[in-house]
């Protein structure tokens, strides 16, 4: 986990510590919350948004103290993430390949969800930024069933974080260095959203 966290930081992606599954079958959570509804898939600290960092010394100190902590990747800073059912993700990747559309980094969560990493839509000018309803109430959006847009003040698990099933989050398309700064190339979210929306609508009946 430490190696992965440092690798993300080297890409310019802030990270913070996540809880880890624990107990029999990993179905409990390493946090102190009784009956945690999201075992191993949330930050350790309530102030994770302020703590997230790319500082290798801080990251090394964190994971040296808790080597099993999962890796949390905050969204809406360097990148946003489209979170879709795995079947819709497979369909969308095939369509992007045929159309020559750049997919960018893609991760799988327990073969149930695909995470598409795209350029963030959170510019410095607040007037140009909107609170994404796909991140707040995705289940109520009929046009894009099953799709969630993780943007500002949200987060996703980074590979190889462990899930309650015992499986790790895994890269299907790992981040690749895209420029001289070492930052990965990230596709336009609107272009990717168009493909994912169609795939979700077809894969997940409304």
């Amino acid at each position: 986990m430490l190696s992965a966290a440092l690798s993300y930081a080297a890409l310019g992606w802030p990270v913070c510590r996540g809880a880890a599954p624990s107990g029999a079958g990993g179905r409990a959570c390493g946090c102190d919350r009784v009956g945690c509804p999201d075992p191993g898939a949330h930050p350790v600290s309530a102030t994770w948004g302020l703590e997230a960092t790319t500082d290798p010394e801080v990251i090394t100190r964190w994971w040296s103290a808790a080597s099993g902590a999962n890796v949390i990747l905050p969204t809406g800073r360097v990148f946003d993430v489209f979170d879709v059912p795995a079947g819709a993700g497979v369909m969308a990747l095939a369509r992007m390949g045929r159309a020559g559309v750049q997919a960018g980094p893609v991760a799988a969560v327990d073969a149930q969800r695909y995470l598409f990493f795209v350029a963030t839509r959170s510019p410095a000018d607040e007037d140009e930024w909107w609170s994404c309803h796909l991140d707040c109430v995705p289940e109520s959006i009929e046009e894009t069933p099953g799709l969630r847009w993780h943007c500002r003040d949200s987060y996703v698990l980074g590979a190889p974080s462990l899930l309650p099933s015992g499986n790790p989050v895994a890269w299907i398309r790992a981040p690749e260095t895209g420029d001289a700064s070492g930052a990965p190339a990230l596709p336009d979210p609107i272009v990717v959203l168009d493909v994912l929306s169609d795939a979700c609508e077809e894969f997940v009946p409304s």
Side-chain angles (χ1 to χ4, degrees):
M1 296 301 177
L2 172 59
S3 177
L6 289 172
S7 295
Y8 293 132
L11 295 175
W13 292 8
V15 302
C16 61
R17 296 160 294 173
S22 66
R27 304 211 176 266
C29 187
C31 71
D32 57 4
R33 182 177 179 182
V34 177
C36 176
D38 208 11
H42 62 84
V44 168
S45 172
T47 57
W48 62 270
L50 297 174
E51 292 182 1
T53 183
T54 58
D55 187 328
E57 292 186 6
V58 173
I59 292 169
T60 299
R61 184 171 68 250
W62 281 345
W63 269 273
S64 294
S67 60
N70 277 341
V71 181
I72 296 292
L73 299 174
T75 56
R77 301 182 183 191
V78 180
F79 52 80
D80 288 354
V81 172
F82 291 123
D83 177 346
V84 301
V90 171
M91 185 186 299
L93 280 175
R95 291 180 176 177
M96 290 180 191
R98 290 193 296 269
V101 174
Q102 179 190 0
V106 181
V109 180
D110 227 7
Q112 295 183 17
R113 308 287 298 182
Y114 272 25
L115 306 179
F116 287 74
F117 288 67
V118 297
T120 184
R121 293 285 290 180
S122 299
D125 185 349
E126 190 70 15
D127 291 337
E128 295 182 16
W129 188 90
W130 65 93
S131 178
C132 186
H133 57 298
L134 288 178
D135 192 44
C136 302
V137 284
E139 66 278 359
S140 68
I141 310 302
E142 295 180 358
E143 296 83 358
T144 53
L147 184 149
R148 184 177 184 186
W149 186 340
H150 295 273
C151 49
R152 190 174 63 173
D153 297 330
S154 188
Y155 55 82
V156 295
L157 280 177
S161 295
L162 288 177
L163 302 161
S165 64
N167 298 322
V169 176
W171 286 111
I172 294 173
R173 293 172 53 94
E176 297 179 356
T177 301
D179 57 37
S181 70
L186 295 169
D188 185 320
I190 301 305
V191 174
V192 175
L193 179 60
D194 284 343
V195 180
L196 290 176
S197 296
D198 290 342
C200 284
E201 189 171 5
E202 293 179 31
F203 183 80
V204 183
S206 59

